[in-house]
Amino acid sequence: SEKITIQNVSRSYESTHALADVSFSVAEGEFCCVVGPSGCGKTTLLRAIAGLDDPDGGSILVGGDPVTGPGLDRGMVFQEYALFPWRTVRGNIRFGLDRPACDCPDCEARVRELIDLVGLDGFEDAYPKELSGGMKQRVGIARALAPDPDILLMDEPFGSVDARTRDRLHAELLDIWTQTGQTVVFVTHDIDEAVTLADRVIVMDADPGTVQSTFSIDLERP
Ligand code: ADP
Ligand code: ADP
């Protein structure tokens, strides 16, 4: 069934058409990559699905309901991590929970579980500036996963880590996705990255931001 339905979405910034009549849908549980050159509107599209931006036209449905703002059903991972520098790893991850100030045993157990899931054991009390890029994005992923969202939105999450770390994070992400069964929309400018990860690839054109083509990939999943 369709989890995300994007219909004729347009978004302009003054004279720039960031998105022009974009339509596609993402099935429940699908790993969908949106690929295209810098400036083709990928971030704008992801922010619209997240409810962080309101397009000028068209509609975005999540589970059949129009998006009217951010929600705990959609977790977002940002290219530049967007971690709170004055919070520890534990504090950043806790911030993703419905009740970020809560230190009840259930919330603490959930944070513990997330730390283990993304391989940050031993770094609970570190601050972001003490971590490598790959480690910072593990925190970003754990924070996005904290409320157990149906949908994971990822904006070039591994664009700032070295190739070796990226390969490892790809494997870890697919492993997590296999466990959670979430619907993933993963944005990248790197077609190789897209075909490595995706069930389905949405290819965008820069001028103006439109969908050029879509194709499916039959991957042998573990
Ligand atoms: P991508 O993520 O594919 O690089 P973006 O969605 O960031 O693309 O940007 C799409 C287009 O909209 C680009 O031409 C960009 O310069 C423009 N744009 C994005 N955000 C803004 C903004 N806040 N103000 C003005 N122009 C913007
Ligand atoms: P990068 O993104 O810089 O390539 P990774 O996230 O792949 O780094 O981390 C590489 C290794 O370095 C990991 O196994 C991790 O245990 C270790 N590491 C990363 N950051 C730190 C840190 N702040 N202190 C100690 N070890 C670290």
Side-chain angles (χ1 to χ4, degrees), residues 2 9 29 47 50 84 117 140 147 158 173 176 182 191 203 211-212:
E2 279 185 16
V9 167
R47 287 174 50 83
F84 296 108
L117 182 70
F158 310 135
L173 175 62
I176 290 169
Q182 277 150 343
I191 186 71
V203 183
V211 174
Q212 180 198 78

Side-chain angles (χ1 to χ4, degrees), residues 133-134 138 158-171 190 192-193 196:
R138 289 191 174 98
F158 310 135
S160 305
V161 300
D162 64 83
R164 202 176 53 87
T165 302
R166 188 160 58 232
D167 287 347
R168 200 163 58 227
L169 289 167
H170 283 162
D190 181 352
D192 289 337
E193 183 172 44
T196 297

Side-chain angles (χ1 to χ4, degrees), residues 19-142:
L19 298 172
D21 202 25
V22 168
S23 301
F24 66 93
S25 60
V26 184
E28 186 154 12
E30 192 169 53
F31 199 123
C32 173
C33 282
V34 177
V35 66
S38 179
C40 74
K42 301 183 296 298
T43 295
T44 303
L45 176 67
L46 213 56
R47 287 174 50 83
I49 300 170
L52 298 171
D53 185 59
D54 187 18
D56 307 321
S59 70
I60 299 179
L61 307 178
V62 167
D65 299 320
V67 167
T68 56
L72 294 171
D73 59 333
R74 283 154 287 147
M76 180 106 167
V77 179
F78 302 88
Q79 175 169 6
E80 297 301 337
Y81 322 115
L83 302 180
F84 296 108
W86 57 89
R87 290 176 197 267
T88 62
V89 165
R90 189 187 269 116
N92 270 281
I93 294 173
R94 189 190 284 143
F95 198 80
L97 293 172
D98 195 5
R99 292 170 296 163
C102 181
D103 62 357
C104 74
D106 279 357
C107 287
E108 287 303 307
R110 178 65 181 147
V111 170
R112 181 73 253 159
E113 185 179 44
L114 288 157
I115 285 170
D116 292 341
L117 182 70
V118 299
L120 285 169
D121 194 28
F123 295 93
E124 297 82 349
D125 299 318
Y127 286 88
K129 64 168 181 265
E130 302 175 281
L131 301 176
S132 65
M135 306 278 277
K136 282 200 273 263
Q137 200 55 293
R138 289 191 174 98
V139 180
I141 292 169

